Amino acid sequence: MMTPAQADEFYARLAADRPNPKSDLEYVNPYTLLVAVVLSAQATDIGVNKATRPLFAEVRDPASMVALGVEKLEQAIRTIGLYKTKARNVIALSHILLAQHAGQVPEDRAALEALPGVGRKTANVVLNVAFGHPTIAVDTHCFRVGNRTGLAPGKNVQAVEEGLLKITPARWGRDAHHYLILHGRYVCKARKPDCTVCCVNDLCQFQGKSI
């Protein structure tokens, strides 16, 4: 595991490499962000964006989504994996937002995780991206980077998240989630990491890295 000083330098270099990190998912407000993240489970951001561009041009709030209905939503997102289950979850969570939260996405972890199709990772993304909380949503990229580099190794997602929250300096907390995801997606890739162009190569503890 890295030392706090190494972790700070690690993030400083990622920040220099990608000074304006942001989610690859396209959205127009907290509600469409929530829907996009729910749809992105076991799917690519590119695939989700292709389906949601025309959808979000017309549907941008829970009331409009409920009015659209399950069948039309299924047709709109049919190119996304598990689209039938996801459509039911989106309609159900939209009903709950209208009934319990005045149609607004709650800025509260427990309330978010109580919504259909929303787990800890999704709640972390919404809290971070929509509301600026220093949460770290550990997806496959974060999990890989945390373990491979030695930044925050752990046997499961929860362990890596706890390790990242502990080792990440406060000044990087707001954007740490995006730094790690983007680095994992475009540089520290699963099958063949681009170690020769990696900005944190010398800090990385991966024994199989190329120099």
Side-chain angles (χ1 to χ4, degrees):
M1 187 170 182
M2 292 186 189
T3 66
Q6 288 174 324
D8 188 61
E9 177 64 18
F10 184 94
Y11 281 111
R13 293 187 194 178
L14 294 186
D17 195 46
R18 299 182 186 277
N20 296 298
K22 62 180 182 179
S23 173
D24 282 344
L25 286 173
E26 298 174 5
Y27 62 96
V28 295
N29 56 29
Y31 174 72
T32 54
L33 171 66
L34 172 63
V35 172
V37 180
V38 169
L39 296 180
S40 71
Q42 300 181 49
T44 66
D45 290 354
I46 293 175
V48 172
N49 290 338
K50 287 181 179 179
T52 58
R53 279 186 203 120
L55 175 65
F56 291 162
E58 303 293 335
V59 180
R60 299 186 174 191
D61 57 66
S64 298
M65 189 67 77
V66 169
L68 183 69
V70 172
E71 291 185 2
K72 288 185 178 179
L73 179 57
E74 286 181 353
Q75 286 301 305
I77 64 170
R78 64 187 181 280
T79 56
I80 300 174
L82 305 174
Y83 73 95
K84 287 183 177 291
T85 298
K86 290 176 180 179
R88 290 195 297 271
N89 284 337
V90 168
I91 296 298
L93 71 82
S94 298
H95 276 292
I96 294 173
L97 292 178
L98 290 168
Q100 300 180 17
H101 303 287
Q104 301 299 309
V105 175
E107 189 177 346
D108 176 81
R109 177 182 297 283
L112 285 169
E113 291 187 19
L115 298 172
V118 177
R120 184 176 181 85
K121 185 180 75 173
T122 297
N124 276 338
V125 173
V126 173
L127 289 171
N128 178 266
V129 177
F131 301 113
H133 291 218
T135 57
I136 300 178
V138 179
D139 67 350
T140 56
H141 300 299
C142 283
F143 186 81
R144 180 173 64 257
V145 172
N147 274 287
R148 180 184 279 168
T149 66
L151 178 64
K155 294 183 178 180
N156 54 54
V157 169
Q158 185 67 35
V160 171
E161 181 182 339
E162 291 174 358
L164 288 171
L165 290 172
K166 184 178 180 179
I167 197 68
T168 300
R171 68 177 179 137
W172 304 118
R174 175 65 177 82
D175 292 319
H177 162 77
H178 291 118
Y179 291 137
L180 297 172
I181 287 178
L182 295 174
H183 189 66
R185 179 173 292 159
Y186 298 113
V187 180
C188 194
K189 294 175 284 190
R191 293 187 179 181
K192 190 177 181 181
D194 292 333
C195 300
T196 57
V197 299
C198 176
C199 63
V200 292
N201 190 307
D202 59 315
L203 296 172
C204 177
Q205 299 170 12
F206 178 43
Q207 294 183 353
K209 68 181 177 182
S210 55
I211 301 176

